[in-house]
Amino acid sequence: KDTKGHWAAREIAIAYSHGIISGKDAAATRFAPNDPVTRAEFAAMLARAAGLEPDPAPAARFKDVPRDIWYAGYVGAAVKAGLITGTSKTTFTPGARITRLQLAVMIGRALKAQGFELKGSPDKVLSRYRDAKNVGAWAREDLALAIQAGIVRGVNATTLGLQQNATRAQVAVMLVRYLEYVLNAGE
């Protein structure tokens, strides 16, 4: 009920109908589009969008991901596929809010896992965004690929908002764009 008239209503409906994102209450009447997304929630959403089968074994190395918690299989699947890493070798920090940079990097990795490659240099793709100049080398190529594919867009023409926490609406939009891009083979 809280997505009617929302700017991302279409994508939220698509992501929800495909089981990528669920509602925030048992009755599935509240989506909470402006709520932040945690690392555990995004791991589950990304794993579902990428069609990964839950596998808790790879997540066992993280002391903060109990084997029997609802997201363990999704974290494990995303780790196994190379889409996501921990915040250290032994921690995942599942309750931390995910930033738009972290989200973009993971989507870029998911694109690479599907066989997509960056055309050109990361610097050229990122040059129009003021807040991309300080992005570390570890993230530049994946971020640039997600932008080049049209999945990640700026919060305005010159700013990506990389340090902002990603909202549920933003995640729904980007994951639907990811699916559309993959299904259309990058066209």
Side-chain angles (χ1 to χ4, degrees):
K1 294 179 181 179
D2 59 352
T3 62
K4 186 173 181 164
H6 192 276
W7 65 269
R10 173 190 168 271
E11 290 86 354
I12 291 168
I14 292 169
Y16 179 79
S17 69
H18 288 283
I20 296 168
I21 298 178
S22 57
K24 288 288 274 189
D25 60 350
T29 60
R30 192 172 76 83
F31 184 78
N34 299 318
D35 280 6
V37 176
T38 67
R39 287 175 48 83
E41 290 168 335
F42 186 69
M45 295 170 192
L46 183 59
R48 290 180 197 132
L52 303 177
E53 289 296 320
D55 181 1
R61 72 179 194 205
F62 302 123
K63 62 185 177 186
D64 56 355
V65 179
R67 191 168 180 87
D68 59 348
I69 198 147
W70 71 269
Y71 54 80
Y74 295 114
V75 169
V79 166
K80 184 177 179 180
L83 309 184
I84 196 166
T85 60
T87 52
S88 78
K89 290 184 183 210
T90 59
T91 57
F92 184 74
T93 320
R97 294 176 176 178
I98 193 162
T99 65
R100 287 175 48 91
L101 174 61
Q102 294 167 339
L103 164 85
V105 167
M106 292 176 209
I107 289 175
R109 291 175 184 160
L111 287 168
K112 283 182 178 175
Q114 293 287 335
F116 296 100
E117 296 178 1
L118 181 66
K119 295 173 182 87
S121 76
D123 292 339
K124 184 173 182 181
V125 174
L126 300 176
S127 66
R128 68 184 274 202
Y129 300 104
R130 290 184 303 224
D131 56 344
K133 65 183 169 196
N134 297 324
V135 172
W138 69 272
R140 292 183 75 74
E141 186 173 330
D142 295 322
L143 172 62
L145 178 56
I147 292 168
Q148 188 175 74
I151 296 165
V152 174
R153 298 180 186 158
V155 294
N156 63 44
T158 60
T159 307
L160 290 164
L162 297 173
Q163 297 311 313
Q164 295 174 12
N165 293 321
T167 66
R168 288 172 52 82
Q170 291 170 341
V171 170
V173 168
M174 289 186 225
L175 289 178
V176 168
R177 287 180 189 154
Y178 162 78
L179 286 174
E180 290 172 345
Y181 188 81
V182 169
L183 292 172
N184 293 322
E187 293 178 6

